[in-house]
Amino acid sequence: MIQVTNLKKSYGSLQVLKGIDVHIHEKEVVVVIGPSGSGKSTFLRCLNMLEDFDEGDIVVDGFYLKDPKTDLNKVREEVGMVFQRFNLFPHMTVLDNITLAPMKVRKWSKEKATEKAMQLLAKVGLQDKAHVYPDSLSGGQAQRVAIARALAMEPKVMLFDEPTSALDPEMVGEVLAVMKQLAKEGMTMVVVTHEMGFAREVGDRVLFMDGGVIVEEGTPQQIFDAPQHERTKSFLSKVL
Amino acid sequence: MDFVGAYAPAHLKFLLEGFVVTLEVAFLSIFFSFLIGIVIGVLRYSRIPFLSPVLAVGVETIRNLPLLLIIFFTYFALPEVGFKLDKFYAAILALVIFESAMLSEIVRSGLNSIEKGQIEAARSSGLTYTQTLWHIVLPQALRRMVPPIVGQFISLLKDTSLAVVIALPELMNHAQIINGQNVNYVIPIFLLVAVMYFVVNYSLSLVSRKLEHKHI
């Protein structure tokens, strides 16, 4: 589904990604962990070209992102993204937040988009919030709406950029539950997170990043129970 | 002071005629400078090669000139190059040139004030740049821009009085003509003129305050 080869990126003289190689398969849940500044968010944001990169190749669903002939909007139709800060559109109701892209990009009718939106709101447990504005939602509710908004495009892959990091602790669970359900339904997911419990329970594969490289990767059991590298061990000893 | 003489019906009618011209000039100028200001602001925000820098130079130049000079330019200088305008249109053109530049800066900083995350959320769902601008950035930015834009409209309405220098028959011009007849009219007439400007401008601020608190 996603093939990343020798991905490199610098901000000025600071190289943040120093050659990433990874292949993400269909229906796979890949969890990316690592300390702040390890490049994990930058890596994720390269996958839908929110960040441009300097070297290497990324192929998403058959599209070469660096190919000038590739229409990035077409790629992004298939790649949903959920952000740390939700980024709901504050001037639109919850329903309009969710139906906007399906109507404008997929050209669905208002009826079809609304029906899909209501299904998704039911799925994340927020049918009663369809007609409110985002500023009246709690953080956990806002993030569940953001997930519903991304799913409304019926993407093939979902990217999660620290989706629970801006939440009060008691709201983390409700968001993780939605993500867990999504994984169970077979969604291909790449999740950057500090939730080690989620990584262990839901991840098919865990990537540990530090200093712009993937230091170690493996199943959750391999990474959490038997880490091989010193840096992995020292990171996990601090967060577990 | 001669309030009775100053407020003779003929004088009031004359002032009102002047005020109508003031309002006509003001509202036509507001309409066109608002449209042009939005277009220039959006084009500069979009960082289009060549075009955006050229607009930046133009806007900076105009913003740093006195409006009075621009009024002289459109009324006295343009005819020299074969472009003669009636006072009414010369005043409007000068105001539109000046206010478009001011408004474009308000628009540009309003657009810049929208968080990057809003744009990323829109683009990541497949919306194009233009769709993102139209559905996400502009609606939010316009709401934030309401107070400074209305503030600019208010200064525009007041600045129409500068057209007195080209003898445009607006409110100040008519007030001066009445005052010329009798020095005892000066205070009553200026008081009335002040009230007229104040009522319109203050109503504009009230509308702006209403708009600010609305979900648009």
Side-chain angles (χ1 to χ4, degrees):
Chain A
M1 180 60 71
I2 301 179
Q3 176 81 53
V4 180
T5 325
N6 192 31
L7 174 65
K8 289 183 183 169
K9 174 173 177 67
S10 303
Y11 291 113
S13 60
L14 178 72
Q15 193 174 29
V16 286
L17 297 178
K18 299 175 182 168
I20 305 275
D21 292 278
V22 65
H23 187 180
I24 294 157
H25 305 272
E26 209 177 324
K27 302 198 173 191
E28 193 179 21
V29 177
V30 173
V31 180
V32 187
I33 61 171
S36 301
S38 58
K40 55 193 192 304
S41 277
T42 306
F43 161 66
L44 190 76
R45 292 159 57 84
C46 284
L47 298 182
N48 64 351
M49 281 286 255
L50 280 187
E51 300 279 353
D52 202 356
F53 50 93
D54 307 322
E55 265 182 65
D57 252 325
I58 300 181
V59 187
V60 177
D61 192 27
F63 290 103
Y64 281 75
L65 297 194
K66 269 295 190 189
D67 184 340
K69 289 198 285 286
T70 297
D71 180 355
L72 284 177
N73 296 322
K74 284 269 167 270
V75 180
R76 288 171 177 156
E77 287 177 27
E78 309 301 336
V79 183
M81 187 161 197
V82 174
F83 300 85
Q84 184 177 351
R85 301 224 151 260
F86 332 134
N87 297 342
L88 294 180
F89 307 131
H91 60 303
M92 296 181 180
T93 62
V94 163
L95 184 63
D96 291 340
N97 262 275
I98 302 175
T99 56
L100 178 73
M103 285 167 63
K104 299 297 168 196
V105 180
R106 292 251 193 251
K107 310 289 180 203
W108 289 2
S109 69
K110 194 177 169 66
E111 292 70 36
K112 185 177 178 194
T114 304
E115 194 189 324
K116 176 80 185 177
M118 293 311 293
Q119 276 172 19
L120 288 167
L121 281 174
K123 182 173 179 159
V124 300
L126 293 169
Q127 308 98 299
D128 54 326
K129 299 290 184 190
H131 300 289
V132 307
Y133 284 89
D135 60 7
S136 68
L137 300 176
S138 71
Q141 291 171 336
Q143 194 61 299
R144 285 185 281 152
V145 170
I147 295 174
R149 178 176 68 178
L151 290 174
M153 287 292 286
E154 300 183 335
K156 293 179 178 157
V157 187
M158 285 281 284
L159 309 178
F160 292 86
D161 189 4
E162 300 199 27
T164 58
S165 295
L167 296 178
D168 290 337
E170 72 265 29
M171 293 171 182
V172 170
E174 62 194 62
V175 171
L176 292 181
V178 169
M179 292 169 63
K180 212 177 291 179
Q181 178 63 29
L182 208 53
K184 211 184 282 174
E185 290 166 12
M187 176 60 79
T188 310
M189 293 163 65
V190 186
V191 184
V192 170
T193 187
H194 293 294
E195 294 294 329
M196 299 302 150
F198 177 86
R200 181 190 278 270
E201 191 187 338
V202 183
D204 294 314
R205 188 151 47 119
V206 175
L207 311 181
F208 171 69
M209 280 184 71
D210 192 17
V213 294
I214 297 174
V215 175
E216 189 167 351
E217 64 170 290
T219 64
Q221 289 71 31
Q222 288 168 336
I223 298 291
F224 290 111
D225 299 336
Q228 300 298 306
H229 282 261
E230 280 311 311
R231 272 145 87 196
T232 319
K233 285 178 195 166
S234 92
F235 174 76
L236 289 173
S237 73
K238 284 175 203 141
V239 296
L240 286 180
Chain B
M1 267 183 278
D2 180 2
F3 277 88
V4 179
Y7 293 166
H11 290 167
L12 296 182
K13 183 164 174 281
F14 191 57
L15 280 183
L16 215 56
E17 283 167 9
F19 200 38
V20 169
V21 173
T22 292
L23 292 178
E24 280 173 359
V25 169
F27 285 115
L28 282 170
S29 306
I30 283 175
F31 178 76
F32 287 110
S33 55
F34 184 58
L35 290 185
I36 297 171
I38 285 190
V39 170
I40 295 177
V42 168
L43 290 176
R44 286 195 62 195
Y45 170 78
S46 300
R47 292 170 207 262
I48 299 163
F50 186 71
L51 183 61
S52 300
V54 167
L55 288 172
V57 171
V59 167
E60 279 313 308
T61 308
I62 287 162
R63 262 167 30 102
N64 288 294
L65 296 177
L67 176 55
L68 199 55
L69 181 73
I70 301 174
I71 293 173
F72 279 138
F73 176 81
T74 57
Y75 189 61
F76 294 116
L78 282 185
E80 297 295 313
V81 293
F83 197 69
K84 189 158 168 35
L85 283 174
D86 173 73
K87 283 170 188 165
F88 185 74
Y89 294 108
I92 290 178
L93 179 62
L95 285 164
V96 168
I97 290 173
F98 185 72
E99 299 296 335
S100 301
M102 304 300 267
L103 286 167
S104 76
E105 280 298 280
I106 296 176
V107 171
R108 191 171 68 95
S109 58
L111 293 170
N112 279 330
S113 78
I114 301 303
E115 298 74 15
K116 216 172 131 224
Q118 291 287 307
I119 296 158
E120 291 181 347
R123 296 307 304 276
S124 74
S125 63
L127 291 169
T128 63
Y129 179 81
T130 318
Q131 286 173 325
T132 303
L133 198 61
W134 187 251
H135 295 289
I136 305 304
V137 182
L138 260 179
Q140 292 186 61
L142 276 174
R143 180 142 46 118
R144 288 184 199 181
M145 286 182 243
V146 166
I149 283 179
V150 174
Q152 200 58 42
F153 287 171
I154 289 172
S155 31
L156 188 154
L157 210 140
K158 293 186 289 184
D159 286 346
T160 55
S161 60
L162 286 173
V164 83
V165 298
I166 55 170
L168 178 74
E170 44 69 69
L171 183 57
M172 279 305 282
N173 174 271
H174 282 194
Q176 295 281 49
I177 290 171
I178 297 170
N179 289 340
Q181 300 170 6
N182 186 334
V183 74
N184 290 321
Y185 293 165
V186 171
I187 291 177
I189 290 292
F190 278 157
L191 275 176
L192 184 58
V193 166
V195 168
M196 292 165 102
Y197 278 118
F198 179 83
V199 167
V200 173
N201 282 333
Y202 193 67
S203 316
L204 276 177
S205 341
L206 289 182
V207 172
S208 145
R209 237 169 276 173
K210 268 243 150 64
L211 284 176
E212 265 174 76
H213 297 295
K214 250 177 74 179
H215 272 295
I216 300 174

